[in-house]
Amino acid sequence: MKATTIAPSNIAFIKFFGKINEALRLPANNSISMCLSGALTTTTVEFSPLYKKDSIEILRDNFNEEEKRRIVEHLERIRKLAQITTFAKVVTKNSFPKSSGIASSASGFAALTLSAVKACRLNIPEKELTILTRLASGSSCRSIPDGFVEWKKSKTSENSYAYSLYSPTYWNICDVLVILEDKPKKVTTTDAHKLALTSPFYKERIMGMEEKIERLKQALKKKDFLSFGEIIETEALNMHAVMMTTNPPLFYWSEKTVKLILAIWEWRKKGLSVYFTIDAGPNVHLVCEEKNKKEVVSYLQSLNMGKIIVNKPSIGARLTNKHLF
Ligand code: PMV
């Protein structure tokens, strides 16, 4: 009863920020993302009567008590579904730093969900897998399907799921991620979502969402990179404006974040077609077409701000037989 999954992190072009139901992790708005080829979590889960309790290990890193509690809670959920009581051994590793605004909870819980489900010999279709993993970490549901993914909002759990809008090969765009800081963030996204409601601009943000999502979908359909870039950049700034005006304020950026944003705007003035987006952390994702990737990377290298990870659109969570133990 052992299974191993490789799951990608994902970058949200339209962000999930704010929930209508805390316990079920139901989002206030639909979100749209892309799975990242270079930011992966690999997780092996084994259930065995030989284990006297659940054990959880992350290679070359540590989980805090709260993170462990969330993982055990999710194992419980899956044990209940499979009607088993055996304990599990979980070993996991990331190809990028945990808790730094790269959605490690997304790839982490997507990998845990698929591995645990398979290790229990449950057969769960993709849509239901996205619902199951959403209960543990909202954005993780977008790391199950392939390529460009939409997560639907709903008042009910069974209708808030993620599905693939387009396959990874649909559009040759890149996400060049710069790791400006690799320390854990000060406020977790779970707490950040709760604070969203305290911003005077939050309602305004939600009201404009349907129209913004429609425009992004049109840009995706036409592969119109300029419109696409403008929408994702304004969307990221919109979410961070709401974050900065919560009570107390959520300020995820560092000095380097601001420096890089200003540099990107300068590069664009000079004719380089590159846009940015930022999740709940200081690190910046530069989005460009494949044909401009080399130039974007070399501009970035000249600033020497941090480790660079170049991502293509990727497939979602998948099983592998390369177990970690
Ligand atoms: O899934 P969570 O609770 O870690 O929230 C993710 C929130 C953002 O990364 C800021 C946006 C998103 O849609 O991924």
Side-chain angles (χ1 to χ4, degrees):
M1 293 181 85
K2 189 193 251 192
T4 302
T5 300
I6 301 174
S9 177
N10 67 73
I11 180 64
F13 297 135
I14 300 285
K15 313 283 186 191
F16 154 47
F17 186 52
K19 294 178 202 152
I20 57 162
N21 183 316
E22 262 309 304
L24 295 173
R25 294 183 195 267
L26 294 175
N29 59 273
N30 291 21
S31 52
I32 295 181
S33 62
M34 179 180 104
C35 290
L36 300 173
S37 63
L40 305 168
T41 299
T42 305
T43 302
T44 301
V45 176
E46 181 179 48
F47 291 96
S48 164
L50 296 175
Y51 300 137
K52 297 284 169 269
K53 61 181 178 66
D54 291 322
S55 74
I56 292 144
E57 185 192 346
I58 179 162
L59 304 178
R60 297 185 299 273
D61 211 330
N62 288 301
F63 280 127
N64 62 35
E65 288 312 309
E66 172 55 19
E67 288 167 332
K68 281 190 195 154
R69 190 199 58 76
R70 256 172 93 181
I71 293 169
V72 171
E73 187 179 82
H74 198 47
L75 289 172
E76 271 306 322
R77 213 173 261 134
I78 293 166
R79 271 194 285 258
K80 232 186 192 166
L81 277 178
Q83 300 182 321
I84 60 167
T85 51
T86 29
F87 289 112
K89 176 173 173 172
V90 179
V91 177
T92 186
K93 68 169 187 190
N94 285 335
S95 69
F96 57 92
K98 182 166 73 69
S99 312
S100 52
I102 308 157
S104 65
S105 78
S107 53
F109 277 104
L112 179 74
T113 303
L114 183 57
S115 288
V117 159
K118 288 292 165 189
C120 286
R121 302 204 181 95
L122 281 170
N123 227 336
I124 300 185
E126 180 180 281
K127 179 178 162 187
E128 278 68 32
L129 268 182
T130 73
I131 294 169
L132 179 59
T133 197
R134 190 207 74 226
L135 295 168
S137 150
S139 55
S140 74
C141 71
R142 298 188 313 235
S143 286
I144 300 274
D146 292 342
F148 298 84
V149 176
E150 178 169 26
W151 169 17
K152 289 170 88 67
K153 67 166 184 180
S154 172
K155 289 193 180 100
T156 61
S157 186
E158 63 273 23
N159 289 316
S160 182
Y161 59 91
Y163 70 100
S164 178
L165 284 169
Y166 296 104
S167 79
T169 52
Y170 171 72
W171 199 13
N172 230 345
I173 61 171
C174 300
D175 172 292
V176 182
L177 164 61
V178 193
I179 304 183
L180 301 172
E181 320 279 340
D182 60 4
K183 285 187 282 299
K185 56 190 162 222
K186 285 167 235 135
V187 183
T188 64
T189 44
T190 302
D191 290 337
H193 290 292
K194 290 181 202 153
L195 280 178
L197 298 157
T198 66
S199 164
F201 305 124
Y202 177 66
K203 261 201 196 135
E204 204 79 14
R205 168 175 165 75
I206 298 298
M207 269 158 48
M209 263 305 170
E210 303 260 317
E211 191 259 344
K212 198 189 286 184
I213 288 173
E214 207 28 61
R215 280 194 293 125
L216 187 89
K217 282 187 172 169
Q218 281 303 318
L220 265 170
K221 192 172 172 189
K222 293 188 200 142
K223 299 186 188 171
D224 172 355
F225 187 73
L226 289 192
S227 306
F228 179 79
E230 268 162 35
I231 299 165
I232 67 165
E233 200 172 282
T234 3
E235 159 60 359
L237 290 170
N238 177 306
M239 180 184 73
H240 282 273
V242 173
M243 286 175 158
M244 288 172 198
T245 48
T246 57
N247 185 14
L250 287 162
F251 198 90
Y252 284 112
W253 295 359
S254 73
E255 276 176 54
K256 284 186 186 170
T257 313
V258 178
K259 201 174 155 195
L260 187 48
I261 291 175
L262 297 176
I264 291 165
W265 286 339
E266 278 307 310
W267 299 342
R268 232 173 31 233
K269 267 194 211 151
K270 287 187 199 152
L272 181 62
S273 184
V274 59
Y275 293 84
F276 67 83
T277 183
I278 307 171
D279 274 347
N283 302 316
V284 180
H285 294 251
L286 286 78
V287 181
C288 64
E289 289 167 290
E290 168 71 27
K291 62 177 186 211
N292 292 322
K293 180 179 79 183
K294 268 200 185 135
E295 204 170 350
V296 167
V297 171
S298 87
Y299 271 51
L300 273 172
Q301 280 166 340
S302 71
L303 290 182
N304 195 21
M305 289 181 118
K307 191 174 173 224
I308 296 170
I309 301 177
V310 181
N311 297 284
K312 296 188 299 187
S314 144
I315 55 170
R318 73 224 83 140
L319 292 163
T320 164
N321 50 20
K322 289 190 186 131
H323 301 305
L324 294 180
F325 62 92

